[in-house]
Amino acid sequence: MQKLEALRNRLRFRPSPPQVMAFGFIFIILIGAQLLSRPVSIAEGTSIPYLDALFMSASATCVTGLPVLNTGIHFSVFGQIVIIALAQIGGLGFMTMATLFALLFRKRISFRERLVLQESMNYGSTEGIVRMIRKVLLYALVIELSGAVLLSSYFMLEMPAGQALYFGIFHSISFFNNAGFDLFAQFPERASSLIHYVEDPFVNVVSMLLIFLGGIGFIVISELVTYPKIKKFSLHSKVVLSFTGALTVIGTIVILALEFSNPHTLQPLSAAGKFLGATFQSVTARSAGLSTVDPGMLREVTQFFLVLLMFIGAGPGSTGGGIRVTTFAILLGAMIAMIRGREDVILFRYRIAKRQIHQAIMFTLLAFSIICAGTMLLSITESVSFLSILFEATSAYCTVGMSAGLTSHVSDTGKIILIVLMFVGRLGPVTLAFALNTRSKKELYRFPEGKITIG
């Protein structure tokens, strides 16, 4: 009898938290694809292949925003609501949304569910995770509601009140979750994304604030809220805020210098417009994927620079992607320490543990390898320039959603490759974080140290 019970326990499938995350995202993507492929989701007079519906569902759930179809033209209001709902679930995490319903119905959160929540939020421990989820939901509601009010009130100057309210809510959710979807193509005289507002300071500032808050992560948002009271930031928040600011400033300067004389992007704009355009591309390239200039018209050197910004990405536990600014900070600190002949990596007078340095190196190499593999596969299936393919593959894996024009014309095989890149990019960071934080077994012996010539 005991042997039979032991056999049953072995055969019983108990998914680990990373597996729960993976299966959960796959399930949501498939449900979204089914909804988006239905006639009720499709704009009148148009038809959508199932693969395109699957692609849009994956893009929304992975908060990437790469579109094979135009959200404002090819989908009905119901379809648009499905897309933005998927972006909300994908941005906050499906376990966070499930916890919301559990809290509303006063259900107890089990320890196993807390482990999955820890995984989804990239949180340090299970202690206080439910309290953190409450804060996440509150912060997201307040920020998105504030953004919706600001954008809706502004859009009322140029469209009916009902449409302005709908546009404000849709784009506030899209911008905060770094999803990159927009509805502006509904206006025949306008280009998609925010190109129409390239010189509009109000829309630019509100959009960049939403993108910034979505990209720094909820842990940092929580510390920003409590800072006036405790007057202190953790090392994590210091690194995220300082490197986010530095990358934004450097990105603005570089883009402004490279595109200043480009007649297809910044040259026709006023001095203030040039600055706004360069700043917006610098902010959006690391997570959001929106544009106030056409990415396909940027100079090749600028596109490659944006690839680097996309690769670095946003903060951990945020709605953005990439290798994360903290990973980049550790790698940069390690390089400086090596050049100066120091053994320890120091950030803000704190020594970084060797384990975290190894994690940063491993995660960067893994991301680099996946992007290279995706780029090589797309180079086989697509007949466009290599830089355009690299741009699209990086944008997909880093869940940015900025497109140089390839996605709207990509082949069916290319769509499948991009779907896989988006899924792995959205799931990979949290899955790796959980895997690396598991308790390691103590080795009973060590191999002798060997030396390899480097450089």
Side-chain angles (χ1 to χ4, degrees):
M1 192 68 179
Q2 290 180 348
K3 290 183 178 180
L4 182 61
E5 185 65 26
L7 181 61
R8 285 178 180 175
N9 289 332
R10 288 181 184 178
L11 294 176
R12 188 180 299 159
F13 178 61
R14 294 179 178 178
S16 63
Q19 290 171 331
V20 172
M21 291 289 295
F23 294 145
F25 270 107
I26 291 172
F27 178 74
I28 293 168
I29 289 170
L30 293 176
I31 291 295
Q34 286 295 325
L35 290 173
L36 291 177
S37 62
R38 298 301 171 189
V40 68
S41 298
I42 304 168
E44 190 175 347
T46 61
S47 61
I48 297 177
Y50 181 79
L51 182 58
D52 287 353
L54 179 64
F55 189 99
M56 293 296 290
S57 178
S59 184
T61 306
C62 299
V63 287
T64 305
L66 274 178
V68 288
L69 300 169
N70 194 295
T71 311
I73 296 175
H74 293 94
F75 292 95
S76 65
V77 172
F78 179 81
Q80 293 165 8
I81 292 173
V82 170
I83 288 174
I84 204 62
L86 291 172
Q88 183 75 85
I89 294 170
L92 297 183
F94 74 92
M95 277 304 299
T96 303
M97 302 303 292
T99 304
L100 169 62
F101 289 103
L103 294 173
L104 289 174
F105 290 102
R106 300 183 180 278
K107 290 186 63 179
R108 181 179 174 274
I109 310 298
S110 68
F111 179 71
R112 186 171 185 80
E113 290 168 339
R114 291 169 191 263
L115 286 176
V116 182
L117 285 170
Q118 176 193 351
E119 167 84 352
S120 65
M121 293 304 299
N122 204 6
Y123 199 61
S125 67
T126 57
E127 184 179 354
I129 186 65
V130 176
R131 185 167 60 251
M132 182 63 189
I133 294 299
R134 287 195 182 100
K135 289 182 179 181
V136 166
L137 294 169
L138 176 62
Y139 296 154
L141 177 64
V142 171
I143 293 170
E144 290 177 354
L145 186 59
S146 301
V149 170
L150 291 171
L151 291 174
S152 296
S153 61
Y154 190 80
F155 292 151
M156 284 181 187
L157 300 175
E158 55 187 36
M159 61 184 74
Q163 187 181 25
L165 181 62
Y166 175 60
F167 269 50
I169 295 172
F170 183 98
H171 292 100
S172 180
I173 296 173
S174 177
F175 297 170
F176 175 69
N177 287 286
N178 288 200
F181 292 102
D182 72 276
L183 303 175
F184 294 109
Q186 290 182 9
F187 300 98
E189 71 280 4
R190 297 187 187 182
S192 59
S193 200
L194 296 176
I195 293 176
H196 179 75
Y197 298 99
V198 61
E199 295 191 86
D200 190 313
F202 184 87
V203 174
N204 273 264
V205 171
V206 172
S207 301
M208 284 190 287
L209 280 174
L210 288 170
I211 294 167
F212 169 78
L213 291 171
I216 59 176
F218 291 103
I219 296 173
V220 182
I221 293 175
S222 178
E223 292 193 18
L224 283 173
V225 172
T226 58
Y227 181 78
K229 183 178 180 180
I230 64 175
K231 302 294 182 183
K232 186 179 180 181
F233 281 128
S234 65
L235 175 61
H236 170 82
S237 293
K238 288 179 181 178
V239 171
V240 170
L241 291 173
S242 60
F243 274 81
T244 297
L247 287 168
T248 300
V249 172
I250 293 170
T252 300
I253 294 171
V254 172
I255 294 170
L256 187 61
L258 294 175
E259 294 297 315
F260 191 86
S261 60
N262 187 344
H264 303 293
T265 55
L266 298 185
Q267 188 192 41
L269 307 179
S270 64
K274 288 182 174 68
F275 176 75
L276 280 175
T279 305
F280 193 93
Q281 308 322 305
S282 177
V283 171
T284 191
R286 289 187 303 101
S287 54
L290 294 158
S291 301
T292 53
V293 298
D294 186 352
M297 302 305 293
L298 295 169
R299 291 189 168 116
E300 288 190 346
V301 62
T302 311
Q303 290 180 351
F304 183 73
F305 179 71
L306 292 181
V307 167
L308 299 179
L309 290 179
M310 288 190 288
F311 187 73
I312 295 171
S318 72
T319 58
I323 64 170
R324 312 298 185 178
V325 291
T326 47
T327 302
F328 176 72
I330 291 173
L331 293 176
L332 188 62
M335 183 183 71
I336 293 172
M338 184 68 69
I339 291 172
R340 292 182 176 180
R342 293 178 179 176
E343 185 176 345
D344 294 328
V345 175
I346 307 297
L347 293 175
F348 292 96
R349 298 184 179 181
Y350 283 92
R351 176 173 52 85
I352 306 302
K354 300 289 186 190
R355 181 181 180 84
Q356 286 194 310
I357 299 171
H358 295 159
Q359 289 175 1
I361 294 171
M362 186 278 297
F363 183 61
T364 303
L365 287 176
L366 181 60
F368 178 76
S369 301
I370 293 171
I371 290 172
C372 285
T375 302
M376 291 174 66
L377 291 173
L378 286 172
S379 296
I380 297 172
T381 63
E382 313 304 318
S383 300
V384 294
S385 69
F386 176 79
L387 182 58
S388 295
I389 292 173
L390 175 64
F391 192 96
E392 225 78 4
T394 307
S395 180
Y397 176 79
C398 298
T399 67
V400 175
M402 188 176 286
S403 175
L406 172 62
T407 302
S408 57
H409 304 97
V410 72
S411 65
D412 287 349
T413 306
K415 290 173 186 175
I416 295 172
I417 295 169
L418 289 175
I419 288 172
V420 173
L421 285 173
M422 290 188 290
F423 176 76
V424 174
R426 181 67 181 96
L427 190 67
V430 290
T431 305
L432 279 173
F434 185 88
L436 292 171
N437 284 329
T438 54
R439 180 178 295 180
S440 58
K441 295 180 180 179
K442 187 175 181 180
E443 296 178 350
L444 300 178
Y445 61 90
R446 297 180 71 184
F447 290 99
E449 186 178 276
K451 293 185 177 180
I452 300 176
T453 303
I454 298 176

